[in-house]
Amino acid sequence: MKSAVPVVELKRAWQAVEAGEFRTGEPAKRLRPSSWTPAATTVAVVGASGRVGASLCAVALATAAEEASRVVECSPMNSTGLAAATTAELGVTATGWRRGTRDTVLIERTTSAFESVEDVPVPEASDCDLTVVDAGWDLNQILRSSSWLGTVVTTVPLMIVTVATIPGLRALDVALQMTSRPGDTWCAVLGPPLKKWPKQLRVAADQRVQAAIDAGRLSVIPNAAPLALSGLTTEPLPPHIVAAATPVFGHMVDHAKGNHHDHR
């Protein structure tokens, strides 16, 4: 009589299937996609640190678009900020992307608790004209990886998101130093308008952050108390958040398309 398989072994087996690991008489191999060539105009959003509102900004950019757009959230499923953001679920694709819609925006998020950036599957093709990649990982991990996500974050127009605190601006300064792409990088700071920043906060704006301010590449996204409490839900974004994201969206997409018209 065969003994029952422990539940923990069944869980490990299922995790291996989800991760692309199979036993075929050879050591298990993990399928690690390393390249992706997006067909649509693509921009990327990354947080200077964790839980600063990067997913909110990604959705705001896609919402501000006047064309069919999608948000591709690359974080592990246990770190998603978009689980409650869709108004309709469309199911899971063959490569493990859970698709849903939010008004006119297509949202895709992962379905596995990945251990590394290299495990994130390549986005599938879509009919959208614009793709906003919500990176969802620590920037240092992304830049040190050899994944398709690392390539995207270092090549397409980039938005770095932080919050209007002294630690937040320090993290932004470090992120700007790490990416070192002032010509096609924009900053979004969630908080009060610049003119209302306290002196201590303005002093915390080091050289790179101040350069972004002087170049018009730093925008403030106003706080919204309900979002701070509940995160993104099916409710529409407050109009003032979409309005704040719209000019940034225009600059980033123009840059992505090779069109450098000044929207200011």
Side-chain angles (χ1 to χ4, degrees):
M1 178 177 177
K2 295 182 178 180
S3 59
V5 179
V7 173
V8 66
E9 292 296 329
L10 292 174
K11 288 182 177 180
R12 287 173 181 168
W14 179 245
Q15 289 171 352
V17 170
E18 285 189 318
E21 297 177 348
F22 307 93
R23 289 193 177 278
T24 58
E26 299 179 357
K29 295 181 179 180
R30 184 184 298 273
L31 303 178
R32 294 176 179 261
S34 60
S35 63
W36 175 53
T37 304
T41 301
T42 301
V43 299
V45 177
V46 65
S49 57
R51 300 297 181 184
V52 292
S55 292
L56 168 63
C57 289
V59 172
L61 287 178
T63 303
E66 296 181 354
E67 52 193 336
S69 59
R70 67 170 172 168
V71 174
V72 177
E73 185 195 44
C74 302
S75 64
M77 66 177 183
N78 55 300
S79 301
T80 179
L82 301 179
T86 57
T87 54
E89 289 291 320
L90 305 179
V92 180
T93 70
T95 57
W97 289 99
R98 184 178 298 280
R99 282 181 163 171
T101 56
R102 177 188 176 86
D103 294 328
T104 60
V105 177
L106 175 67
I107 291 181
E108 300 179 355
R109 61 188 193 273
T110 60
T111 56
S112 296
F114 303 119
E115 295 181 358
S116 71
V117 180
E118 282 86 355
D119 296 332
V120 180
V122 170
E124 295 193 5
S126 80
D127 296 329
C128 294
D129 301 310
L130 169 72
T131 294
V132 181
V133 175
D134 178 6
W137 289 80
D138 176 79
L139 181 58
N140 185 52
Q141 289 180 284
I142 295 172
L143 296 179
R144 291 171 64 89
S145 74
S146 57
S147 70
W148 68 267
L149 183 56
T151 301
V152 166
V153 167
T154 55
T155 56
V156 306
L158 178 67
M159 172 185 278
I160 303 176
V161 182
T162 194
V163 291
T165 64
I166 292 174
L169 292 190
R170 287 173 178 163
L172 177 58
D173 184 72
V174 171
L176 288 169
Q177 180 180 14
M178 291 171 63
T179 53
S180 189
R181 296 169 52 201
D184 61 354
T185 298
W186 285 259
C187 305
V189 180
L190 275 67
L194 277 170
K195 62 183 180 181
K196 293 187 176 181
W197 283 12
K199 181 179 178 180
Q200 301 95 314
L201 194 56
R202 292 304 299 260
V203 171
D206 289 334
Q207 181 179 356
R208 281 171 287 268
V209 176
Q210 188 60 52
I213 295 173
D214 295 341
R217 292 180 176 274
L218 186 147
S219 298
V220 172
I221 306 296
N223 288 318
L227 290 175
L229 177 64
S230 63
L232 283 165
T233 67
T234 57
E235 293 296 315
L237 290 179
H240 64 274
I241 289 182
V242 179
T246 298
V248 187
F249 162 79
H251 289 304
M252 293 180 74
V253 171
D254 276 358
H255 195 93
K257 293 180 177 179
N259 180 0
H260 302 289
H261 292 313
D262 189 358
H263 286 248
R264 289 173 291 181

